[in-house]
């Protein structure tokens, strides 16, 4: 899902790895990844870090999000020389982590405020990116390769009385009532390790085999249906394609077997429908215990290298 292949510092390299946990409103951005001339989350963060550290900084992200997709539990890392880390305190008796977090928040605000040609007014960008933590990572940590799984949510309001204008930017207003039992019946049939080509936009030389660990739907007390989708990793457009296909089942346009039939067909065609991006949220990225971080990264890296 992520094509970036940064140099990997070994535990004895002398470099310090910094982990940041962050959240963002994806609405104003053209996705996570840097794109020339477009406002992206990575672009804003790397510009802010370069301002602080006075050199280019390259971020590695746990899961790249598409345009309009949000994140509540995104994780990134970058590497610094020990002297760069200590300099963040600017000679004061303060933890570099606390200094980085405070200063970075201020610079992000300035970067967003000075953005020329942004697709939305600055008042709508204020607070769109929030870095919650910035600290030294355990030895062997890799935001991308050490991850055990990523979990997304997707909100669907299928009743007019649940169409709340205050949450319209994170909820799909669906015009047809959905049968949650049918949704779950269909979703259960495609769990496990499978080739999800029918639900992915394949990248050249990359596999579409993934382990879908959880795919389920729940109707909340407010009547909104919330989908949970968890996998070891996701290929491009996979979550939105899974939701798009499920909506056809939930609305009675297709039978619950249809998702499995699509899975077995292993074909991306006109029946591959992407659900809109704005209700999709990266909720959480799970990592193993510190002692297993390096081993997990090496194992995952070997698999991804083989597929590339």
């Amino acid at each position: 899902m992520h094509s970036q292949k940064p140099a990997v510092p070994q535990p004895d390299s002398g470099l310090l790895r910094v982990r940041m946990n962050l959240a963002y409103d994806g609405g104003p951005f053209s996705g996570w990844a840097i794109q020339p001339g477009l406002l992206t989350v990575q672009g804003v963060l790397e510009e802010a870090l370069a301002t602080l550290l006075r050199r280019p900084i390259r971020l590695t992200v746990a899961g790249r999000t598409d345009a309009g997709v949000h994140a509540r539990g995104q994780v990134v890392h970058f590497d610094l020389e020990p002297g760069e880390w200590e300099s963040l305190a600017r000679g004061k008796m303060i933890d570099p982590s606390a200094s980085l977090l405070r200063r970075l928040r201020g610079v992000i605000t300035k970067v967003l405020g000075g953005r020329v040609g942004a697709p939305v007014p600055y008042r709508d960008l204020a607070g769109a990116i929030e870095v919650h933590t910035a600290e030294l990572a355990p030895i062997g940590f890799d935001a991308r390769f050490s991850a055990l799984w990523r979990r997304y949510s997707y909100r669907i309001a299928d009743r007019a009385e649940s169409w709340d204008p205050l949450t319209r930017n994170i909820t799909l207003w669906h015009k047809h009532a959905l049968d949650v039992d049918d949704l779950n019946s269909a979703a259960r049939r495609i769990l496990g390790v499978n080739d999800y080509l029918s639900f992915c936009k394949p990248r050249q030389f990359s596999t579409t085999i993934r382990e879908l660990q959880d795919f389920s739907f729940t109707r909340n007390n407010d009547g909104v249906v919330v989908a949970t989708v968890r996998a070891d990793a996701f290929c491009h457009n996979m979550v939105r394609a899974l939701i798009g296909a499920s909506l056809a089942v939930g609305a009675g346009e297709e039978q619950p077997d249809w998702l499995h039939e699509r899975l077995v067909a292993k074909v991306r065609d006109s029946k591959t429908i992407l659900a809109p991006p704005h209700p999709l949220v990266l909720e959480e990225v799970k990592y193993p215990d510190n002692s297993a971080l390096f081993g997990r990264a090496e194992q995952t890296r070997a698999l991804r290298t083989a597929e590339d």
Side-chain angles (χ1 to χ4, degrees):
M1 184 174 178
H2 194 303
S3 60
Q4 176 184 333
K5 295 182 180 179
V8 182
Q10 298 299 312
D12 59 352
S13 68
L15 292 175
L16 299 178
R17 177 152 288 181
V18 182
R19 168 179 171 166
M20 298 198 308
N21 291 8
L22 58 137
Y24 48 85
D25 172 2
F29 300 98
S30 297
W32 162 265
I34 289 177
Q35 301 178 62
L38 296 178
L39 182 68
T40 69
V41 181
Q42 183 183 15
V44 170
L45 287 171
E46 290 189 359
E47 183 177 340
L49 287 167
T51 299
L52 285 179
L53 295 162
R54 300 181 181 180
R55 71 169 177 87
I57 295 293
R58 187 67 170 177
L59 293 173
T60 295
V61 69
R64 267 174 36 172
T65 49
D66 294 335
V69 177
H70 318 288
R72 189 174 281 115
Q74 184 67 279
V75 181
V76 301
H77 82 244
F78 59 96
D79 298 322
L80 296 178
E81 297 285 348
E84 291 178 313
W85 174 252
E86 295 299 329
S87 70
L88 289 168
R90 295 192 290 189
K92 300 178 181 179
M93 297 298 292
I94 184 175
D95 182 355
S97 297
S99 180
L100 172 60
L101 189 60
R102 185 183 69 249
R103 294 173 64 192
L104 184 58
R105 284 171 172 164
V107 176
I108 288 173
T109 299
K110 292 180 180 178
V111 170
L112 289 173
R115 179 65 63 180
V116 177
V120 293
Y122 168 59
R123 65 179 179 273
D124 294 331
L125 288 173
I129 301 175
E130 179 64 23
V131 179
H132 292 304
T133 63
E135 58 193 5
L136 291 180
I139 292 175
F141 175 81
D142 186 295
R144 177 192 177 195
F145 289 118
S146 293
L148 295 172
W149 47 257
R150 289 89 170 157
R151 176 172 62 86
Y152 284 84
S153 70
Y154 195 98
R155 288 170 48 89
I156 309 160
D158 64 335
R159 302 169 179 174
E161 57 268 29
S162 298
W163 293 356
D164 181 0
L166 300 184
T167 61
R168 70 189 186 282
N169 292 327
I170 57 169
T171 307
L172 175 65
W173 289 7
H174 199 259
K175 296 181 179 179
H176 303 287
L178 300 174
D179 187 312
V180 173
D181 289 338
D182 282 351
L183 287 169
N184 282 317
S185 177
R188 283 194 298 268
R189 302 176 198 206
I190 60 170
L191 292 174
V193 179
N194 297 291
D195 186 343
Y196 290 93
L197 175 61
S198 299
F199 303 100
C200 293
K201 184 177 181 180
R203 299 181 185 276
Q204 189 175 20
F205 307 124
S206 294
T207 182
T208 49
I209 296 174
R210 296 290 187 267
E211 182 185 9
L212 185 59
Q213 301 166 348
D214 184 14
F215 186 24
S216 56
F217 295 81
T218 303
R219 189 178 295 278
N220 290 344
N221 292 334
D222 61 2
V224 174
V225 176
V226 179
T228 296
V229 192
R230 189 183 78 218
D232 59 342
F234 291 94
C235 42
H236 194 204
N237 291 154
M238 180 173 168
V239 180
R240 291 171 59 198
L242 289 172
I243 299 296
S246 298
L247 290 174
V249 173
E253 299 168 8
E254 301 288 350
Q255 296 300 309
D257 282 335
W258 189 63
L259 260 66
H260 186 260
E261 292 171 0
R262 293 288 297 159
L263 178 74
V264 173
K266 297 179 184 178
V267 58
R268 182 180 174 88
D269 54 24
S270 60
K271 296 181 180 179
T272 303
I273 305 298
L274 299 183
H278 69 277
L280 185 57
V281 180
L282 174 59
E283 296 283 359
E284 182 184 7
V285 183
K286 178 67 174 178
Y287 296 93
D289 294 338
N290 290 352
S291 61
L293 286 169
F294 187 76
R296 172 65 180 178
E298 289 294 285
Q299 178 188 37
T300 307
R301 187 176 293 108
L303 290 173
R304 292 292 179 262
T305 301
E307 75 180 45
D308 289 342

